Amino acid sequence: MSYLKPLTTVVVDDSLTTRALIAAALKRDPRIKVVGTAGTPFEARDLIVRLNPDVLTLDFEMPSMNGLQFLEKIMRLRPMPVVMVSGRLSSHQGLVEQALRMGAAEWYSKMVLGSGEEPFVGLGDAIVRAAATKNKPLVSEGGSLRARVMATTKTGTVVGIGASTGGVEALTDVLEHFPKDCPATVIVQHMPKQFSESFARRLGRVVKPDVRLAEEGDVLKPGIVYVAPGGERHLRIRGGARTGEYVCQLVTAPPVNGHRPSVDELFYSLAATVGKNAVGVILTGMECDGAQGLLAMRHAGACTIGQDRASSVIYGMPRAAYELGAVDTQLPLSAIGPAILNLCERRSLETYP
């Protein structure tokens, strides 16, 4: 297999000497570029989040958490090609089999050197073979996105989306990217009461997650998209004091920004209850509903996304949020669904190990 650019690799080993030897060996291989080294799983986690390497080499023996324990977390939270590097290959075949079952692509023994050979000969070949597995399933269904988004809290990352004019088509576009086990997602779409139920049913027929109208007391769960009922009440999210879960609350109150339900009401509640474990998204729509609430979410540590002008039917709501400083990232509609999933995975990985 040939590569147009070198495979970026992070080397994880508790020995400074071994890290240096591996980096030196790989530096001689034009197919590979070492972009970082780490001596602990905690350092490795930060490098994975920041550098997004193509391949990870992972030592079995490390302080505070062994390589298999860290491998298990990687496969749940951020599946990627991993080469296990160890001196235990010949005497601990069971560990090799366990690592491969858990999702490791390759296992390289530190003891493969023959007389006069350079250290870590052949490791580059193992990295290239591992990289070839990148687009293949690395984990079973139990290690799917559901497991990754459940990492931050008992409920997991929560996605809040607000939309108005043009939002029906925009929401369909975003949610078509979501897998069946998507993050718990809550939507406020401005529309009359008589249309919201049929909208939820229609959306549920064309996307993979379960789509339903939010009801009082619904517990947010991954794999479910909750649509605010139109017309009479606002949808807020509150925390379950005893369970640690997030719960739908339908509140009778005057319209906000001329709307009921209001995107601002949803976003304010997510800022107060979910905080940094939320992702806020504002899509096409008139006027400014949702801008202040999205700003509150950003101040609370949530990631925020706004639809760009070119892809919006009406750029009013996204523009108001952007000009207010509420938007972390402004994206075309086609990129928003994948970006949400990427942010949820990143948030989950940042909390582990």
Side-chain angles (χ1 to χ4, degrees):
M1 179 179 294
S2 62
Y3 290 89
L4 297 177
K5 60 181 181 179
L7 295 167
T8 57
T9 303
V10 166
V11 174
V12 186
D13 196 294
D14 69 325
S15 166
L16 178 61
T17 300
T18 300
R19 295 199 302 273
L21 287 172
I22 292 176
L26 296 179
K27 188 175 181 179
R28 296 190 291 270
D29 192 326
R31 301 171 297 176
I32 296 162
K33 179 180 180 181
V34 176
V35 293
T37 65
T40 70
F42 302 95
E43 294 173 359
R45 174 202 62 188
D46 293 340
L47 288 177
I48 293 169
V49 170
R50 181 161 56 88
L51 300 174
N52 191 28
D54 296 314
V55 182
L56 188 77
T57 73
L58 179 59
D59 182 31
F60 178 81
E61 297 286 354
M62 288 188 296
S64 75
M65 179 184 301
N66 69 41
L68 287 182
Q69 291 172 320
F70 189 49
L71 175 66
E72 187 272 334
K73 293 185 182 298
I74 293 170
M75 291 300 109
R76 282 195 299 110
L77 303 173
R78 184 73 163 266
M80 63 183 299
V82 175
V83 178
M84 298 297 296
V85 179
S86 174
R88 295 187 167 204
L89 182 59
S90 59
S91 59
H92 290 83
Q93 187 64 32
L95 293 176
V96 178
E97 295 173 357
Q98 184 178 353
L100 294 176
R101 286 197 303 269
M102 291 168 62
E106 290 278 331
W107 188 300
Y108 178 89
S109 174
K110 297 176 183 178
M111 306 305 180
V112 300
L113 293 180
S115 176
E117 287 185 323
E118 294 285 344
F120 296 99
V121 64
L123 180 56
D125 293 333
I127 289 172
V128 171
R129 290 194 300 270
T133 70
K134 188 168 185 179
N135 295 322
K136 298 177 183 178
L138 295 176
V139 290
S140 65
E141 180 64 22
S144 64
L145 182 64
R146 176 184 295 274
R148 301 198 295 276
V149 300
M150 286 292 285
T152 51
T153 65
K154 190 167 183 177
T155 299
T157 306
V158 176
V159 178
I161 305 177
S164 188
T165 308
V168 172
E169 291 75 17
L171 286 164
T172 302
D173 187 289
V174 170
L175 295 179
E176 280 180 339
H177 293 279
F178 280 26
K180 185 176 179 62
D181 53 357
C182 71
T185 300
V186 190
I187 292 172
V188 167
Q189 162 68 48
H190 296 159
M191 62 173 48
K193 177 183 177 182
Q194 61 267 33
F195 296 129
S196 56
E197 185 172 355
S198 61
F199 167 62
R201 284 199 305 267
R202 173 182 173 273
L203 197 56
R205 287 195 295 267
V206 297
V207 302
K208 294 175 183 177
D210 178 14
V211 181
R212 61 183 68 172
L213 279 187
E215 297 184 1
E216 177 70 27
D218 275 349
V219 176
L220 299 192
K221 297 178 181 179
I224 302 178
V225 175
Y226 303 83
V227 177
E232 296 180 349
R233 293 177 289 180
H234 295 294
L235 174 60
R236 297 174 185 165
I237 304 303
R238 60 180 174 82
R242 289 179 294 179
T243 63
E245 297 167 324
Y246 303 128
V247 179
C248 293
Q249 183 179 32
L250 297 176
V251 179
T252 301
V256 174
N257 302 317
H259 298 285
R260 188 173 53 200
S262 162
V263 181
D264 265 335
E265 287 289 295
L266 173 64
F267 285 174
Y268 278 131
S269 70
L270 290 172
T273 304
V274 185
K276 66 179 181 179
N277 292 336
V279 174
V281 182
I282 193 155
L283 301 177
T284 176
M286 294 180 66
E287 300 176 339
C288 64
D289 190 31
Q292 293 287 348
L294 195 68
L295 182 63
M297 289 185 68
R298 189 174 187 187
H299 286 164
C303 297
T304 59
I305 298 173
Q307 187 174 351
D308 70 1
R309 179 192 298 269
S311 65
S312 296
V313 175
I314 300 292
Y315 187 53
M317 286 166 49
R319 177 179 180 173
Y322 181 76
E323 292 181 348
L324 192 63
V327 174
D328 278 323
T329 307
Q330 191 166 231
L331 295 171
L333 180 61
S334 60
I336 291 177
I340 292 169
L341 299 179
N342 182 61
L343 286 171
C344 289
E345 292 185 49
R346 186 184 179 98
R347 280 295 199 215
S348 297
L349 183 61
E350 285 172 350
T351 66
Y352 280 83

